[in-house]
Amino acid sequence: WQDTSLPFWTQRTRYNDTYHTPNMERLAKQGKMFTQAYACSISSPTRVSLFTGMNAARHRVTSWTLRKNTTHEQPDSVMIYPEWNVNGICQEPGVERTTQVTSLAQVLKDNGYHTIHCGKAHFGANDTPGADPLKMGFDVNIAGHAAGSPASYYGMQNFGNKPGGKSPLAAVPGLEKYHGKDIFLSEALTVEAAYATLIEGMDKSLGDLMDYLDKNNLTDNTVLLFMSDNGGLAAHTRAGELHRQNYPLNSGKGSAYEGGVREPMIVRWPGIVAAETKCDHYLMIEDFFPTILEIAGVKHYNTVQERDGISFLPLLTGKGKMPARDIYWHYPHSWGPSGPGIGATCSIRSGAWKLVYYFDSGKRELFNIPADIGEQHDVAAGNPKLVK
């Protein structure tokens, strides 16, 4: 209630000045604040009430759940604690000290919704059906289990999992790919939750930038260049058949094929770049360097490095002409995942043609990109001179 810069009281407090939550403020401007909204004092009862519509006194999951048939209260010289439902809720009948329910998620699922659970579950004890969100009406579960808090929030600590040993109940399951990495649990959950949502978030950020430019009368004096740094990930983690997420392009991130290297790119430059137009001339990422400098009016400069980029300003302005040239990719490494075009490779694009060379086998593949954008037809055997 106070961990926000948005006061839910009649006046601000020092906590409201300590925290910075601009999007909560933004949301409040677009919706309705409820200043007397209540939950239970601990999490399991609240979560059970959320998923059941029942008051805690009715569902009798009145404290926090974790181990089956086990209460965590310490003996008291005066009090005798009641027999509460220590196992939480589930949808199956006959589970002792458990409240059988039809969960909110199940009702939504039965009515055609795709239900996803992400993060903490904590509404059913370990070794009971309610510990698994997939048995509580969810189609997808990301890291939800019986525990109410993670054994660790840190990827560097494997979120509490013990390699080769017995992990505590609070160790977070299902995020093994982040073990040993410098990442927080919340970020790992966000990445896992919905790739499409991340795209929407990226697009929102782009919109925010454009809105800012409009609002501050900067649009007409700003060149906006949109570009990506590699092809879309297709070798793992994303839903569906592997290596198909960039269709009709072949493969994805880490691959020498078009799916690994072809990017979305847009340039906006009011008064210079014609609106609603397209350019089919190929360019390479290093071309941004001289282009941006030329746009900025920087004509004379020296660099320590030798440069390969060629300004694509003529493609923007329609004045002048880009010189004909080849472009190159050099990746003499093993990326990790396997897949089409993934491995130690070198590639050359020369006009319509693209050659892919594999360092390990010496194999050479030749594709006509305009005619075969999916790189399904290797014509190297029929064009030995061109390959050479």
Side-chain angles (χ1 to χ4, degrees), residues 317-358:
T317 64
K319 300 176 182 178
K321 192 174 182 179
M322 282 278 286
R325 52 81 182 255
D326 299 344
I327 54 177
Y328 307 86
W329 295 265
H330 185 52
Y331 191 82
H333 308 287
S334 173
W335 178 48
S338 60
I342 296 178
T345 59
C346 180
S347 307
I348 303 173
R349 175 76 192 270
S350 181
W353 298 100
K354 180 178 172 185
L355 180 79
V356 179
Y357 172 75
Y358 295 85

Side-chain angles (χ1 to χ4, degrees), residues 154-166:
Y154 303 108
M156 295 296 289
Q157 298 177 3
N158 302 335
F159 306 119
N161 290 275
K162 306 295 184 183
K166 184 174 177 60

Side-chain angles (χ1 to χ4, degrees), residues 31 51 56 67 80 105 125 155 174-175 236 257 263 300 313 335 362 367 372 381:
F51 278 97
R67 291 178 172 83
I80 297 177
L175 298 175
H236 60 79
Y257 293 144
E263 315 303 335
H300 305 289
L313 195 66
W335 178 48
F367 303 100
D372 181 23

Side-chain angles (χ1 to χ4, degrees), residues 237-282:
T237 71
R238 289 171 66 183
E241 184 182 353
L242 293 179
H243 317 303
R244 300 286 291 175
Q245 286 81 357
N246 297 300
Y247 179 85
L249 305 183
N250 192 355
S251 201
K253 180 177 179 178
S255 173
Y257 293 144
E258 295 291 283
V261 296
R262 189 179 283 226
E263 315 303 335
M265 176 182 165
I266 307 171
V267 178
R268 186 182 74 176
W269 189 357
I272 303 296
V273 174
E276 295 187 273
T277 56
K278 294 182 180 179
C279 176
D280 199 36
H281 197 291
Y282 62 66

Side-chain angles (χ1 to χ4, degrees), residues 173-245:
L175 298 175
E176 287 79 8
K177 71 182 70 170
Y178 301 101
H179 288 187
K181 296 184 179 180
D182 187 17
I183 190 171
F184 283 105
L185 175 60
S186 56
E187 183 181 0
L189 291 172
T190 301
V191 172
E192 286 298 296
Y195 183 80
T197 302
L198 293 179
I199 296 295
E200 292 176 8
M202 177 279 300
D203 187 75
K204 178 190 174 298
S205 294
L206 176 62
D208 289 345
L209 290 171
M210 297 169 72
D211 291 344
Y212 179 87
L213 295 174
D214 290 343
K215 180 181 178 181
N216 291 278
N217 298 315
L218 296 169
T219 297
D220 291 341
N221 194 39
T222 302
V223 182
L224 188 61
L225 302 100
F226 179 96
M227 180 66 165
S228 183
D229 62 349
N230 54 245
L233 183 63
H236 60 79
T237 71
R238 289 171 66 183
E241 184 182 353
L242 293 179
H243 317 303
R244 300 286 291 175
Q245 286 81 357

Side-chain angles (χ1 to χ4, degrees), residues 84-100:
W84 57 282
N85 285 331
V86 297
N87 292 328
I89 55 173
C90 73
Q91 299 200 119
E92 289 81 355
V95 181
E96 58 191 324
R97 299 190 71 175
T98 304
T99 302
Q100 182 187 1

